[in-house]
Amino acid sequence: MDGEALELVVVIGANPPERLDKALARDVPEEASLSRSRLMKLIAEGAVSRGGVPLTDTKARVTEGDEIVVQIEAAVELEARPEDIPLNVVYEDDELIVIDKPAGMVVHPAPGTPRGTLVNALLHHCGDTLSGIGGAKRPGIVHRIDKETSGLLVVAKTDRAHHGLAAQFEAHSVERLYLALVNGVPDAGDPRLKGIKGVSFEAGGVVKITTRLDRHRHERQKQAVFFDRGRHAVTRARVLEAIGTPPQVSLVECRLETGRTHQIRVHMAHAGHGLVGDPVYGGRRKVSANALPPGGAEAVASFPRQALHAATLGFTHPKSEERLTFVSPLPQDFQDLLAALGAPRQA
Protein backbone atom coordinates (compact mmCIF):
# COMPACT_ATOMS: atom_id res chain seq x y z
CA MET A 1 0.00 0.00 0.00
CA ASP A 2 1.27 3.48 -0.85
CA GLY A 3 1.59 6.25 1.70
CA GLU A 4 1.53 6.25 5.47
CA ALA A 5 -0.66 3.58 7.04
CA LEU A 6 -2.17 2.97 10.45
CA GLU A 7 -1.90 -0.49 12.00
CA LEU A 8 -5.04 -1.92 13.56
CA VAL A 9 -4.81 -5.17 15.53
CA VAL A 10 -8.11 -7.10 15.73
CA VAL A 11 -8.39 -9.99 18.18
CA ILE A 12 -10.94 -12.56 16.98
CA GLY A 13 -13.59 -13.23 19.60
CA ALA A 14 -15.43 -16.39 20.60
CA ASN A 15 -17.39 -18.43 18.06
CA PRO A 16 -16.16 -16.54 15.02
CA PRO A 17 -17.78 -16.84 11.59
CA GLU A 18 -15.78 -19.20 9.39
CA ARG A 19 -14.81 -16.56 6.83
CA LEU A 20 -12.07 -14.01 7.53
CA ASP A 21 -14.07 -11.07 6.12
CA LYS A 22 -17.13 -11.87 8.23
CA ALA A 23 -15.08 -12.39 11.38
CA LEU A 24 -13.30 -9.07 10.90
CA ALA A 25 -16.57 -7.28 10.19
CA ARG A 26 -17.92 -8.60 13.47
CA ASP A 27 -14.89 -7.87 15.66
CA VAL A 28 -13.30 -4.72 14.24
CA PRO A 29 -13.78 -1.77 16.66
CA GLU A 30 -16.72 0.47 15.79
CA GLU A 31 -14.58 3.60 15.80
CA ALA A 32 -12.53 2.19 12.90
CA SER A 33 -15.63 2.61 10.66
CA LEU A 34 -14.65 -0.31 8.42
CA SER A 35 -17.52 -1.91 6.51
CA ARG A 36 -17.33 -5.50 5.34
CA SER A 37 -16.92 -4.36 1.73
CA ARG A 38 -14.02 -2.12 2.76
CA LEU A 39 -12.44 -5.01 4.67
CA MET A 40 -12.80 -7.29 1.63
CA LYS A 41 -10.96 -4.71 -0.45
CA LEU A 42 -8.18 -4.44 2.15
CA ILE A 43 -7.83 -8.23 2.18
CA ALA A 44 -7.54 -8.28 -1.61
CA GLU A 45 -4.88 -5.53 -1.43
CA GLY A 46 -2.74 -7.60 0.94
CA ALA A 47 -3.31 -5.20 3.81
CA VAL A 48 -4.50 -7.93 6.20
CA SER A 49 -2.10 -10.37 7.85
CA ARG A 50 -1.76 -12.95 10.59
CA GLY A 51 1.60 -13.68 12.15
CA GLY A 52 3.26 -11.56 9.51
CA VAL A 53 1.74 -13.59 6.67
CA PRO A 54 -0.67 -11.71 4.37
CA LEU A 55 -4.18 -13.11 4.14
CA THR A 56 -5.53 -12.43 0.66
CA ASP A 57 -8.47 -14.85 0.67
CA THR A 58 -11.69 -13.47 2.15
CA LYS A 59 -12.73 -17.06 2.92
CA ALA A 60 -9.63 -17.82 5.01
CA ARG A 61 -10.42 -19.62 8.27
CA VAL A 62 -9.84 -17.89 11.59
CA THR A 63 -10.07 -19.09 15.18
CA GLU A 64 -10.77 -17.48 18.52
CA GLY A 65 -7.80 -15.50 19.78
CA ASP A 66 -6.20 -14.93 16.36
CA GLU A 67 -4.53 -11.53 16.11
CA ILE A 68 -5.29 -10.06 12.70
CA VAL A 69 -3.34 -6.98 11.65
CA VAL A 70 -5.08 -4.56 9.28
CA GLN A 71 -3.06 -1.82 7.58
CA ILE A 72 -5.24 1.23 6.89
CA GLU A 73 -4.13 4.25 4.94
CA ALA A 74 -4.18 7.32 7.14
CA ALA A 75 -7.44 9.16 6.60
CA VAL A 76 -7.32 12.62 5.13
CA GLU A 77 -8.76 15.01 7.69
CA LEU A 78 -11.97 16.54 6.47
CA GLU A 79 -12.10 20.31 6.73
CA ALA A 80 -15.58 21.52 7.57
CA ARG A 81 -16.20 24.81 5.81
CA PRO A 82 -18.83 27.44 6.55
CA GLU A 83 -21.87 27.26 4.27
CA ASP A 84 -24.75 29.71 4.08
CA ILE A 85 -27.50 27.21 4.88
CA PRO A 86 -30.71 28.45 6.55
CA LEU A 87 -31.11 27.42 10.19
CA ASN A 88 -34.21 27.38 12.35
CA VAL A 89 -32.73 28.91 15.52
CA VAL A 90 -34.98 28.36 18.52
CA TYR A 91 -32.68 29.95 21.10
CA GLU A 92 -29.21 31.50 21.11
CA ASP A 93 -26.91 33.27 23.54
CA ASP A 94 -23.16 33.59 24.03
CA GLU A 95 -22.89 30.07 25.46
CA LEU A 96 -25.07 27.86 23.29
CA ILE A 97 -27.54 27.62 20.43
CA VAL A 98 -30.65 25.44 20.08
CA ILE A 99 -31.58 24.36 16.56
CA ASP A 100 -34.76 22.79 15.16
CA LYS A 101 -33.19 20.48 12.56
CA PRO A 102 -35.17 19.50 9.46
CA ALA A 103 -35.36 15.87 8.35
CA GLY A 104 -32.73 15.12 5.74
CA MET A 105 -29.92 17.19 7.25
CA VAL A 106 -26.81 15.37 8.52
CA VAL A 107 -25.44 16.77 11.78
CA HIS A 108 -21.70 16.68 11.05
CA PRO A 109 -19.51 16.05 8.00
CA ALA A 110 -18.40 12.52 7.11
CA PRO A 111 -16.67 11.04 4.05
CA GLY A 112 -20.01 10.51 2.32
CA THR A 113 -21.46 13.90 3.28
CA PRO A 114 -18.65 16.49 3.50
CA ARG A 115 -20.99 19.41 2.80
CA GLY A 116 -24.50 20.57 3.53
CA THR A 117 -24.42 19.50 7.18
CA LEU A 118 -25.56 21.22 10.34
CA VAL A 119 -21.91 21.85 11.28
CA ASN A 120 -21.30 23.61 7.95
CA ALA A 121 -24.34 25.80 8.59
CA LEU A 122 -23.30 26.52 12.18
CA LEU A 123 -19.78 27.53 11.15
CA HIS A 124 -21.34 30.17 8.89
CA HIS A 125 -23.90 31.29 11.46
CA CYS A 126 -21.65 31.33 14.52
CA GLY A 127 -18.26 32.08 12.99
CA ASP A 128 -15.41 31.22 15.34
CA THR A 129 -17.55 31.03 18.48
CA LEU A 130 -18.28 27.29 18.42
CA SER A 131 -16.68 25.14 21.10
CA GLY A 132 -13.66 23.26 19.82
CA ILE A 133 -13.93 20.27 22.16
CA GLY A 134 -15.83 18.23 19.62
CA GLY A 135 -12.85 18.28 17.26
CA ALA A 136 -12.43 19.90 13.87
CA LYS A 137 -15.02 17.64 12.25
CA ARG A 138 -17.81 18.42 14.69
CA PRO A 139 -17.20 21.63 16.64
CA GLY A 140 -19.69 22.30 19.43
CA ILE A 141 -21.64 19.08 18.86
CA VAL A 142 -22.67 17.62 22.23
CA HIS A 143 -25.29 15.17 20.92
CA ARG A 144 -26.92 14.44 17.60
CA ILE A 145 -30.06 13.12 15.98
CA ASP A 146 -30.26 10.94 12.87
CA LYS A 147 -30.26 12.47 9.41
CA GLU A 148 -33.92 11.62 8.74
CA THR A 149 -35.10 12.52 12.25
CA SER A 150 -36.39 16.06 12.70
CA GLY A 151 -36.33 18.23 15.80
CA LEU A 152 -34.33 19.84 18.55
CA LEU A 153 -30.66 19.70 19.49
CA VAL A 154 -28.34 21.97 21.44
CA VAL A 155 -24.86 23.02 20.33
CA ALA A 156 -22.16 24.49 22.58
CA LYS A 157 -20.49 27.79 21.72
CA THR A 158 -17.98 27.76 24.58
CA ASP A 159 -15.87 25.07 26.20
CA ARG A 160 -17.67 25.73 29.49
CA ALA A 161 -21.03 25.07 27.86
CA HIS A 162 -19.67 21.96 26.15
CA HIS A 163 -18.41 20.50 29.43
CA GLY A 164 -21.59 21.46 31.29
CA LEU A 165 -23.98 20.04 28.69
CA ALA A 166 -21.91 16.88 28.20
CA ALA A 167 -22.06 16.25 31.96
CA GLN A 168 -25.84 16.56 31.92
CA PHE A 169 -26.14 14.10 29.06
CA GLU A 170 -23.84 11.72 30.91
CA ALA A 171 -25.95 12.05 34.08
CA HIS A 172 -29.19 11.51 32.08
CA SER A 173 -30.60 14.79 33.43
CA VAL A 174 -31.44 16.19 29.99
CA GLU A 175 -35.13 15.90 29.11
CA ARG A 176 -35.60 14.39 25.65
CA LEU A 177 -39.09 13.60 24.44
CA TYR A 178 -39.73 12.29 20.93
CA LEU A 179 -42.94 11.73 19.00
CA ALA A 180 -43.02 8.63 16.82
CA LEU A 181 -45.59 6.96 14.60
CA VAL A 182 -45.19 3.22 15.03
CA ASN A 183 -46.76 0.10 13.59
CA GLY A 184 -49.39 -1.43 15.83
CA VAL A 185 -50.11 -0.31 19.39
CA PRO A 186 -47.51 -0.85 22.14
CA ASP A 187 -50.19 -1.28 24.79
CA ALA A 188 -49.02 -2.20 28.28
CA GLY A 189 -51.95 -4.62 28.44
CA ASP A 190 -50.77 -6.63 25.44
CA PRO A 191 -49.76 -10.11 26.69
CA ARG A 192 -47.32 -10.45 23.77
CA LEU A 193 -45.25 -7.56 25.13
CA LYS A 194 -45.01 -9.25 28.52
CA GLY A 195 -43.09 -12.10 26.90
CA ILE A 196 -40.38 -9.91 25.36
CA LYS A 197 -37.11 -9.78 27.27
CA GLY A 198 -36.23 -6.30 28.45
CA VAL A 199 -39.82 -5.02 28.37
CA SER A 200 -41.52 -3.97 31.61
CA PHE A 201 -44.38 -1.69 32.57
CA GLU A 202 -44.82 1.43 34.67
CA ALA A 203 -47.78 3.48 35.85
CA GLY A 204 -49.75 5.49 33.31
CA GLY A 205 -49.57 2.90 30.53
CA VAL A 206 -45.81 3.36 30.08
CA VAL A 207 -43.86 0.59 28.37
CA LYS A 208 -40.25 0.56 29.56
CA ILE A 209 -37.61 -1.05 27.35
CA THR A 210 -34.27 -1.81 29.01
CA THR A 211 -31.51 -3.53 27.04
CA ARG A 212 -27.96 -3.11 25.90
CA LEU A 213 -27.26 -1.81 22.41
CA ASP A 214 -24.28 -2.61 20.23
CA ARG A 215 -23.46 -2.97 16.58
CA HIS A 216 -25.30 -5.71 14.73
CA ARG A 217 -23.17 -8.85 14.43
CA HIS A 218 -23.34 -8.94 10.64
CA GLU A 219 -24.72 -5.58 9.46
CA ARG A 220 -22.20 -3.15 10.84
CA GLN A 221 -24.16 0.03 10.08
CA LYS A 222 -27.03 -1.16 12.26
CA GLN A 223 -27.48 -1.35 16.01
CA ALA A 224 -28.98 -4.38 17.71
CA VAL A 225 -30.35 -5.41 21.10
CA PHE A 226 -28.09 -7.44 23.38
CA PHE A 227 -28.15 -8.36 27.06
CA ASP A 228 -24.55 -9.52 27.49
CA ARG A 229 -22.62 -6.71 25.81
CA GLY A 230 -22.99 -3.17 24.51
CA ARG A 231 -24.17 0.02 26.19
CA HIS A 232 -27.02 0.29 28.67
CA ALA A 233 -30.13 1.81 27.05
CA VAL A 234 -33.55 2.73 28.45
CA THR A 235 -36.59 4.02 26.53
CA ARG A 236 -40.05 4.71 27.92
CA ALA A 237 -42.97 4.73 25.47
CA ARG A 238 -46.58 5.79 25.98
CA VAL A 239 -49.36 5.65 23.40
CA LEU A 240 -50.99 9.02 22.70
CA GLU A 241 -53.34 7.96 19.92
CA ALA A 242 -54.21 4.58 18.43
CA ILE A 243 -55.18 5.08 14.80
CA GLY A 244 -57.49 2.92 12.71
CA THR A 245 -60.46 0.57 13.22
CA PRO A 246 -59.01 -1.77 14.32
CA PRO A 247 -55.84 0.20 15.16
CA GLN A 248 -53.05 -0.13 12.62
CA VAL A 249 -50.54 2.46 13.80
CA SER A 250 -50.18 4.68 16.85
CA LEU A 251 -48.68 8.01 17.81
CA VAL A 252 -46.29 7.33 20.67
CA GLU A 253 -44.41 9.56 23.08
CA CYS A 254 -40.89 8.21 23.69
CA ARG A 255 -38.76 9.49 26.56
CA LEU A 256 -35.04 8.77 26.52
CA GLU A 257 -33.21 7.97 29.74
CA THR A 258 -30.10 7.24 27.69
CA GLY A 259 -29.23 8.44 24.19
CA ARG A 260 -27.65 5.64 22.18
CA THR A 261 -27.34 5.49 18.40
CA HIS A 262 -30.73 4.68 16.82
CA GLN A 263 -32.06 3.88 20.31
CA ILE A 264 -35.77 4.56 19.80
CA ARG A 265 -35.79 2.90 16.39
CA VAL A 266 -34.08 -0.26 17.69
CA HIS A 267 -36.09 -0.47 20.90
CA MET A 268 -39.47 -0.03 19.25
CA ALA A 269 -38.57 -2.65 16.64
CA HIS A 270 -37.46 -4.99 19.46
CA ALA A 271 -40.90 -4.57 21.02
CA GLY A 272 -42.52 -5.44 17.67
CA HIS A 273 -43.59 -1.87 16.90
CA GLY A 274 -41.07 -0.51 14.39
CA LEU A 275 -41.35 3.11 13.30
CA VAL A 276 -43.42 3.86 10.21
CA GLY A 277 -41.12 4.57 7.26
CA ASP A 278 -37.98 3.13 8.85
CA PRO A 279 -36.13 1.25 6.06
CA VAL A 280 -33.41 -0.08 8.37
CA TYR A 281 -35.31 -1.59 11.29
CA GLY A 282 -38.32 -3.02 9.53
CA GLY A 283 -40.81 -0.21 9.83
CA ARG A 284 -42.44 -0.74 6.44
CA ARG A 285 -45.10 -3.16 7.59
CA LYS A 286 -48.21 -3.30 5.42
CA VAL A 287 -51.32 -1.89 7.07
CA SER A 288 -54.95 -2.67 6.30
CA ALA A 289 -56.47 -0.14 3.92
CA ASN A 290 -59.96 -1.05 5.14
CA ALA A 291 -59.07 -0.02 8.69
CA LEU A 292 -57.97 3.48 7.68
CA PRO A 293 -59.51 6.41 5.79
CA PRO A 294 -59.16 6.39 1.98
CA GLY A 295 -55.54 7.00 1.10
CA GLY A 296 -54.33 6.34 4.65
CA ALA A 297 -52.59 3.04 3.92
CA GLU A 298 -50.90 4.58 0.89
CA ALA A 299 -49.70 7.53 3.02
CA VAL A 300 -48.15 5.12 5.52
CA ALA A 301 -46.48 3.02 2.82
CA SER A 302 -45.04 6.02 0.99
CA PHE A 303 -43.76 8.00 3.99
CA PRO A 304 -40.11 8.51 2.98
CA ARG A 305 -38.38 8.52 6.36
CA GLN A 306 -38.67 7.15 9.87
CA ALA A 307 -41.58 8.96 11.49
CA LEU A 308 -39.60 10.35 14.42
CA HIS A 309 -39.43 13.91 15.77
CA ALA A 310 -37.37 15.29 18.68
CA ALA A 311 -40.20 17.36 20.12
CA THR A 312 -38.99 18.47 23.58
CA LEU A 313 -35.50 19.30 24.85
CA GLY A 314 -34.84 20.46 28.39
CA PHE A 315 -31.56 21.14 30.22
CA THR A 316 -29.94 23.40 32.80
CA HIS A 317 -28.09 26.34 31.29
CA PRO A 318 -24.39 25.70 32.06
CA LYS A 319 -23.73 29.38 32.98
CA SER A 320 -26.96 30.84 34.40
CA GLU A 321 -28.11 27.49 35.86
CA GLU A 322 -31.63 28.31 34.66
CA ARG A 323 -33.70 25.34 33.58
CA LEU A 324 -34.62 25.74 29.90
CA THR A 325 -37.22 23.71 28.02
CA PHE A 326 -37.93 23.96 24.30
CA VAL A 327 -40.78 22.44 22.29
CA SER A 328 -40.81 21.91 18.53
CA PRO A 329 -44.07 21.47 16.58
CA LEU A 330 -44.40 18.46 14.33
CA PRO A 331 -42.98 19.19 10.88
CA GLN A 332 -45.38 19.50 7.96
CA ASP A 333 -44.71 16.05 6.49
CA PHE A 334 -45.51 14.39 9.83
CA GLN A 335 -48.66 16.51 10.23
CA ASP A 336 -49.76 15.62 6.69
CA LEU A 337 -49.30 11.93 7.43
CA LEU A 338 -51.44 12.14 10.56
CA ALA A 339 -54.08 14.12 8.65
CA ALA A 340 -54.20 11.40 5.99
CA LEU A 341 -54.85 8.93 8.78
CA GLY A 342 -57.71 10.98 10.15
CA ALA A 343 -55.77 11.90 13.26
CA PRO A 344 -54.54 15.48 12.83
CA ARG A 345 -52.39 16.63 15.68
CA GLN A 346 -50.58 19.89 16.26
CA ALA A 347 -47.77 19.22 18.75
Side-chain angles (χ1 to χ4, degrees), residues 1-6 71-75:
M1 300 173 64
D2 296 329
E4 183 181 355
L6 304 175
Q71 297 287 329
I72 310 166
E73 291 184 357

Side-chain angles (χ1 to χ4, degrees), residues 6 8-9 27-35 72 75 137-138 214-215 220 223:
L6 304 175
L8 175 67
V9 179
D27 293 336
V28 72
E30 181 176 2
E31 56 269 21
S33 299
L34 292 174
S35 64
I72 310 166
K137 290 183 183 179
R138 40 185 172 177
D214 206 344
R215 281 197 302 170
R220 307 303 284 174
Q223 297 290 304

Side-chain angles (χ1 to χ4, degrees), residues 88-309:
N88 185 357
V89 178
V90 177
Y91 174 87
E92 183 176 13
D93 61 24
D94 291 340
E95 296 286 328
L96 55 87
I97 181 171
V98 178
I99 301 294
D100 194 340
K101 186 188 82 69
M105 175 180 272
V106 175
V107 171
H108 59 75
T113 51
R115 292 176 295 276
T117 73
L118 178 63
V119 163
N120 296 113
L122 285 167
L123 288 171
H124 180 272
H125 179 86
C126 300
D128 296 330
T129 63
L130 291 178
S131 158
I133 296 176
K137 290 183 183 179
R138 40 185 172 177
I141 301 300
V142 185
H143 68 123
R144 64 181 184 179
I145 56 181
D146 295 339
K147 174 184 177 182
E148 297 300 342
T149 299
S150 54
L152 299 167
L153 75 164
V154 59
V155 178
K157 294 173 68 175
T158 68
D159 289 353
R160 169 174 54 194
H162 201 126
H163 283 301
L165 291 168
Q168 292 179 58
F169 277 98
E170 183 68 24
H172 311 313
S173 62
V174 177
E175 180 187 10
R176 282 172 291 176
L177 184 152
Y178 288 71
L179 294 177
L181 191 69
V182 307
N183 288 288
V185 183
D187 186 342
D190 183 353
R192 183 193 60 82
L193 279 178
K194 296 177 181 178
I196 298 176
K197 188 174 182 180
V199 173
S200 59
F201 307 95
E202 295 180 339
V206 173
V207 177
K208 181 181 179 183
I209 306 171
T210 306
T211 73
R212 292 186 175 276
L213 295 181
D214 206 344
R215 281 197 302 170
H216 193 283
R217 294 187 189 277
H218 306 299
E219 298 179 66
R220 307 303 284 174
Q221 304 306 311
K222 292 177 61 173
Q223 297 290 304
V225 163
F226 295 93
F227 294 93
D228 58 347
R229 66 182 179 93
R231 304 180 73 187
H232 178 66
V234 180
T235 304
R236 289 176 172 84
R238 181 172 67 89
V239 175
L240 300 179
E241 297 180 37
I243 302 168
T245 310
Q248 300 295 299
V249 296
S250 53
L251 185 64
V252 174
E253 171 190 278
C254 295
R255 289 186 179 270
L256 290 182
E257 181 175 313
T258 58
R260 311 307 182 198
T261 301
H262 299 176
Q263 179 175 318
I264 291 174
R265 298 164 65 190
V266 180
H267 269 173
M268 295 311 297
H270 174 67
H273 298 285
L275 271 61
V276 165
D278 192 335
V280 178
Y281 297 102
R284 297 199 177 277
R285 185 188 305 173
K286 188 174 182 180
V287 297
S288 171
N290 294 332
L292 296 169
E298 182 180 348
V300 169
S302 62
F303 198 67
R305 65 178 181 97
Q306 67 260 12
L308 184 61
H309 179 64

